[in-house]
Amino acid sequence: MNLGYGLYQEQMQRLVMTQQMKQAIELLQCNALELIEKLAELADSNPLAEVEPPPALWQEPWWRTAPGTGGVRKDAAGFPFEQVVAAEDTLTQALVRQLRLMPAPLPVVRCAEFLAGCLDESGYLREPEDALREALGVSRELFAEALALLQSCDPPGIGARHLRECLRLQLDRVPAGRRDLVRTLIDHHLDAVAAGKLAAIAKQLHTSPREVQAAVDELRRLNPRPGYAYKAGRPEYIVPDLLVHRDGARYVVLHNDHAEPSLRVNPHYHRMLARAEDEETRQYLAKKLHAVQWFARCLEQRRVTLYRVGEAIVEYQRAFFDHGVSALKPLTLRQVGEALGLHESTISRATRGKYMLTPRGLFEMKYFFTAEVAAAGGSTSAGAVKFAIRRLIEAEDPQHPLSDEALAHRLQDEGMYISRRTVAKYREEMQIPPSWRRRRFAE
């Protein structure tokens, strides 16, 4: 065998992913809100791009509204009510405002304000007491007084050091007749309550399971995370990309024109390109114009692909739109891809984070792609099986809930042949507790 260097020439074919192809794929998998961000980035970097936000997500500025048109409601100062941002207090701000109104010595109030700033997002005081007292430089008595003052604020349970203390601080909300039993459950039986061992608790406390169940119901009405009421976060809105409208006996798929911004070429720079005498300026503007045109073609291709995928889903899942979730059929990305002449990865990107507003409600497009489950006379979808499981559980006797094995037998009687293990998997995906936790004792 001879080893050595050499030059060889060969011909081969391979797919090279250009920057434009990457951009087209990236735009296809963007949802409506992400697409607005992409267009905003384009408008910032390309002077020839003009982007007009969709009317559904953008209110016309008050200074562009003609007087007397009634297009935007305004207050006495001339500003529209829709553009006034609601100010929300943080947990610390709300507590400090309450503390400053309480009749307590100033050092205690200042110490309580400091502790309010040390709470975590759940409203718990997790820092060790010794470290906090050292940072404040106060005595143990003053610290205890400040902590008690903080724990007297709203929401109840705030400033607790652990779960049991948080629940004990809310005992005033429990009816007096059950308060002692609820306190006992908090102090000694929280783990057993979480495990659903109500009968064992009743045996230990020498009371009836019905009384324990009533006390547990009261316990579950308490708030284990009182600070979450002030948890900051911007609301997230779902904007449907496709609209499904029923027209007589057929369903019509429409593209939501109000969900996408409109992109056009800036006429001023377009005229400048035609009049430009400097070669460097002409090349720069021509390059930017080509980028806008390519972006517009990608948007149109995205629009067409979404529309075709939506039509295919409506055609395959016609029974769902007529009869509901129980008629949902098994459907895969490959089936839709083969019907449209597209790769299944393209279908996956086209349905990622996209929503359809239908007569049955608002659904993510991936909702209609479900696995196949064996059934009498053919097959059914996993979505239909989950719907049947939920229906059986809602109709069960609370005193004798159906086990996973019993649910599997009931489903087999309805022609859905799945195992007990599959029933348990679907039940857990729907966040439904097992039968021993669903059991209710006689009222």
Side-chain angles (χ1 to χ4, degrees):
M1 181 173 60
N2 296 325
L3 298 177
Y5 295 101
L7 294 176
Y8 302 95
Q9 185 176 11
E10 60 179 342
Q11 185 177 2
M12 66 175 61
Q13 289 183 341
R14 63 177 180 176
L15 179 63
V16 178
M17 188 72 71
T18 65
Q19 187 65 30
Q20 291 179 333
M21 293 176 63
K22 292 180 180 179
Q23 186 182 58
I25 292 174
E26 187 178 358
L27 289 180
L28 178 61
Q29 65 184 9
C30 287
N31 58 33
L33 297 179
E34 292 171 344
L35 186 61
I36 293 176
E37 295 178 0
K38 292 291 182 183
L39 286 169
E41 293 175 2
L42 176 67
D44 289 340
S45 61
N46 194 328
L48 271 74
E50 275 194 357
V51 179
E52 182 178 353
L57 304 176
W58 186 266
Q59 292 288 343
E60 186 69 7
W62 65 272
W63 58 83
R64 295 183 186 174
T65 304
T69 59
V72 179
R73 296 185 294 116
K74 301 178 182 179
D75 59 8
F79 291 93
F81 292 118
E82 289 83 356
Q83 293 184 8
V84 176
V85 179
E88 296 183 0
D89 282 344
T90 64
L91 175 62
T92 303
Q93 291 172 339
L95 293 174
V96 168
R97 185 178 297 110
Q98 296 177 58
L99 291 170
R100 292 179 178 177
L101 296 176
M102 292 183 176
L106 184 60
V108 176
V109 173
R110 294 302 185 198
C111 181
E113 289 178 357
F114 177 84
L115 296 179
C118 298
L119 302 180
D120 64 8
E121 63 178 9
S122 299
Y124 286 75
L125 188 63
R126 305 287 189 181
E127 298 294 329
E129 178 180 339
D130 293 339
L132 291 173
R133 286 197 299 106
E134 183 179 352
L136 288 167
V138 297
S139 64
R140 190 180 301 274
E141 292 75 15
L142 193 150
F143 180 88
E145 189 176 351
L147 180 59
L149 186 66
L150 175 64
Q151 292 178 346
S152 66
C153 296
D154 283 330
I158 208 72
R161 271 93 35 109
H162 46 76
L163 176 60
R164 282 188 170 85
E165 185 178 18
C166 178
L167 297 176
R168 282 197 295 265
L169 290 171
Q170 303 177 57
L171 280 174
D172 291 341
R173 293 186 168 189
V174 179
R178 294 197 174 98
R179 194 171 298 163
D180 292 338
L181 183 53
V182 172
R183 182 182 290 107
T184 302
L185 294 179
I186 293 173
D187 292 339
H188 306 290
H189 302 283
L190 271 187
D191 293 337
V193 169
K197 300 178 180 179
L198 304 190
I201 296 174
K203 186 176 181 179
Q204 291 183 24
L205 299 179
H206 304 289
T207 185
S208 66
R210 182 177 60 84
E211 289 295 328
V212 175
Q213 179 178 273
V216 170
D217 291 340
E218 295 294 339
L219 177 61
R220 287 173 176 164
R221 293 189 181 98
L222 305 181
N223 186 2
R225 296 181 178 88
Y228 274 20
Y230 292 88
K231 188 175 181 180
R234 297 179 58 186
E236 297 182 1
Y237 301 97
I238 295 177
V239 181
D241 297 87
L242 297 176
L243 309 174
V244 180
H245 172 67
R246 182 162 190 168
D247 185 12
R250 67 191 187 100
Y251 291 93
V252 180
V253 179
L254 302 173
H255 196 278
N256 187 8
D257 294 328
H258 296 286
E260 287 187 7
S262 59
L263 175 64
R264 57 176 178 266
V265 178
N266 187 298
H268 172 72
Y269 285 102
H270 197 241
R271 290 192 298 268
M272 184 183 296
L273 173 61
R275 298 193 303 264
E277 298 180 356
D278 181 49
E279 183 64 23
E280 184 177 356
T281 302
R282 186 184 300 107
Q283 289 182 359
Y284 172 80
L285 294 176
K287 180 181 178 180
K288 294 298 183 181
L289 176 62
H290 177 71
V292 175
Q293 292 173 341
W294 172 256
F295 207 101
R297 285 196 294 269
C298 292
L299 289 178
E300 182 60 27
Q301 183 63 35
R302 174 186 180 275
R303 180 189 182 96
V304 171
T305 303
L306 279 179
Y307 176 78
R308 294 180 64 199
V309 172
E311 277 198 325
I313 289 175
V314 171
E315 180 181 353
Y316 274 99
Q317 300 291 4
R318 173 62 189 260
F320 164 82
F321 294 101
D322 288 337
H323 306 292
V325 183
S326 60
L328 195 64
K329 295 181 179 180
L331 181 63
T332 63
L333 298 173
R334 178 172 294 182
Q335 286 178 267
V336 176
E338 291 175 352
L340 300 180
L342 300 172
H343 195 273
E344 58 183 297
S345 63
T346 302
I347 307 300
S348 177
R349 292 187 181 98
T351 55
R352 170 195 169 273
K354 314 298 192 308
Y355 287 82
M356 296 174 62
L357 182 60
T358 73
R360 292 279 172 183
L362 182 67
F363 297 92
E364 188 176 6
M365 294 177 70
K366 283 188 176 294
Y367 173 82
F368 299 99
F369 296 90
T370 60
E372 184 176 1
V373 177
S379 62
T380 186
S381 68
V385 174
K386 290 180 180 180
F387 176 79
I389 292 174
R390 186 179 294 276
R391 172 173 51 80
L392 290 173
I393 290 177
E394 289 176 352
E396 70 184 1
D397 181 4
Q399 299 179 33
H400 302 90
L402 297 172
S403 64
D404 295 337
E405 187 72 27
L407 288 171
H409 288 308
R410 294 283 186 93
L411 292 172
Q412 290 175 11
D413 294 339
E414 297 183 7
M416 301 178 184
Y417 303 108
I418 61 175
S419 65
R420 180 203 60 80
R421 187 173 299 178
T422 305
V423 171
K425 183 184 74 170
Y426 288 164
R427 176 182 53 74
E428 290 172 359
E429 289 178 357
M430 294 185 290
Q431 299 182 351
I432 298 176
S435 58
W436 57 271
R437 295 195 63 182
R438 301 198 306 271
R439 183 185 176 192
R440 301 280 299 179
F441 295 95
E443 299 293 341

